[in-house]
Every structure is written in C-alpha cells, then in structure tokens.
Amino acid sequence: MDTQQLDMQQLPGAIGKAISLLVELETAGGAVRLSELSRRTGLAKSTTHRLLGDLAESGMVNRVGTRYETTWQRRSDMPVADPLSQALRDFAPFLGDLLLKTGLTASLAVLKGATVVFTHRVHGHGGTWTPSDDSGRECAATTAAGRVLLAYNTEAARRLLDEWGGESARSTELGRHLHQIRQQHYSVRVGATTTCMAVPLYRNDQPPDIALTVKGRSKDFDQRRVLSQLLFVADKAAKYVRVR
C-alpha cells in the first residue's frame, strides 16, 4: 500500500486507524503482537483487537499464534528468488488501495497452463462468494483475469484454442475476445449474480504475466467507475514497481 500518499487526518476514523495498523505491520518486517501494535499506533487494545479482526475477515491480515502480519507478507507458494514471486509481493499492497477505492473484492492472478491462480485476495464487505474463493483457482477462459492473461500469452492461448477444436464456436468467441482485450487493455465478465473486471499489470518490457482484478454483485457493479479506479491503481502499482 502506498502509505506515503495517504493523509490519515483526511480519512474516516475507522479507516485511518485500520490503515495505521497496516502501516505498522508492513514496516515491522514480521509478525507483531497485539499489545505492541497498540503501543506503536496509540490505539486502545480493544480497538486494535476489533480492527485486526475486521482486517483478518477482509483477508488483509493473518493471525499467526498470538501475532499478526499482513497477508502479502505471508502468502506465496513460489520461491523468494523467483522474479514473479517478488513482483506479486510488490503488487500485493495495492490490493488494499483498490479495496478502499471500490469496496469490492480485489485479487492478483497469474496463469498456470489453462488455469488462473489467484495468489493474493482481499475481500470487500457484502461481496458474492465464487468457487475461486475456496480453491484459489479457476479455468482461465471463464474468468476476466484469466482472459486478460491469455490475451498476452499467445502460446498458452494457442494451446487452449487447439484443445477446444480451433474452429468451434467457443474457440471463435474466445479468440475474438482476446483480440479485443489487447486493444482495450481490460476484460469484463458479467454473470447473473457476479461481475468481474481485470486489467494487466506491467512491470517490464515483456508481456504482462500478472492481472489485477475485482469482483462484486452484478446489480451494483458500475463498470465505468470501477474500470477508472482499476486502471488508476494498476498504473500507480506499475510506476511503484518500476522505480524500486
């Protein structure tokens, strides 16, 4: 999270206090006890405990025994030396920015074969629950994030289209949509109850291999507003990673 850009005094009380806890957790370099977080932030222990519970419920904080840490400090099944793993860690704090802007569940996703894997996720209040919330993965072709990643990975897309039969109706639809994504730089999938939108995250000169995505109830999903906020956070994240 780009804490240098946040003015705590201008944020609503609970949000400012929650961000101050995230800042302390992020800068601590490891898991921290509740009493130490209370001391560092100046918040009452009861307030600290309540806010940490809210942050844990939203997927932004993990409890490790009697200590707490941010999810982006902990969640990764890839080697630390892997550039993709490091990029995911660099991008992860911006999920908090996106959640604050949209109120929607926000995720980072990567492509593994024909599957999209959601490596990091923070949950918005009142969001819809989808299978990937339990499994952490979905068929790439059925999700906005997966289609964004396929659009920029021609080899993976070609293999999938060949598996689907090349000239079949769904292959034609997918190929047309991937071309459209490369032109407009985002993907949206609208379902009866849930809408998902995704954009690529750029970190170097190679094709993007990480997607930033949000999802929410279709009936409340303002595509124009969400796309604007999604692109804003993605651009800020890319600039941050480039100057590191």
Side-chain angles (χ1 to χ4, degrees), residues 11-233:
L11 292 171
I15 294 178
K17 292 173 183 177
I19 291 178
S20 69
L21 287 172
L22 290 174
V23 170
E24 290 299 333
L25 288 171
E26 189 173 349
T27 57
V32 184
R33 293 182 185 276
L34 185 150
S35 57
E36 178 63 14
L37 284 170
S38 175
R39 185 189 67 79
R40 292 187 184 188
T41 59
L43 299 174
K45 287 185 180 180
S46 59
T47 301
T48 303
H49 182 267
R50 175 175 58 79
L51 290 172
L52 286 171
D54 290 341
L55 291 168
E57 185 178 344
S58 293
M60 301 180 74
V61 165
N62 283 324
R63 182 170 181 173
V64 186
T66 60
R67 298 172 184 267
Y68 296 83
E69 64 184 5
T70 57
T71 54
W72 49 85
Q73 287 172 308
R74 185 173 181 81
R75 288 185 61 190
S76 179
D77 60 358
M78 299 179 183
V80 173
D82 184 346
L84 179 59
S85 176
Q86 184 59 53
L88 286 166
R89 294 183 181 190
D90 289 340
F91 284 133
F94 291 94
L95 294 178
D97 293 3
L98 192 54
L99 174 62
L100 287 173
K101 279 188 168 294
T102 65
L104 302 173
T105 295
S107 308
L108 292 176
V110 297
L111 196 64
K112 288 191 176 180
T115 301
V116 62
V117 178
F118 297 94
T119 60
H120 300 70
R121 173 168 285 172
V122 295
H123 293 275
H125 288 286
T128 57
W129 205 259
T130 56
S132 67
D133 289 305
D134 293 320
S135 66
R137 58 190 62 221
E138 283 272 14
C139 172
T142 64
T143 66
R147 289 197 170 202
V148 159
L149 294 169
L150 285 169
Y152 294 95
N153 188 324
T154 54
E155 183 179 347
R158 188 181 302 111
R159 285 199 303 268
L160 182 58
L161 291 171
D162 288 344
E163 289 176 9
W164 281 9
E167 298 302 322
S168 67
R170 65 173 182 168
S171 292
T172 301
E173 184 276 331
L174 177 60
R176 184 184 301 115
H177 191 209
L178 297 184
H179 176 71
Q180 183 182 31
I181 291 169
R182 287 190 291 271
Q183 292 181 316
Q184 63 189 20
H185 308 294
Y186 76 93
S187 175
V188 61
R189 301 285 285 170
V190 180
T193 59
T194 304
T195 293
C196 303
M197 183 175 285
V199 298
L201 285 171
Y202 297 92
R203 58 191 176 95
N204 47 38
D205 293 333
Q206 69 184 39
D209 51 6
I210 301 173
L212 179 64
T213 180
V214 292
K215 67 172 183 172
R217 289 194 179 101
S218 293
K219 64 177 183 178
D220 303 320
F221 202 100
D222 184 336
Q223 291 191 29
R224 181 175 297 181
R225 179 181 64 83
V226 172
L227 178 59
S228 175
Q229 294 166 334
L230 191 57
L231 291 171
F232 175 82
V233 174

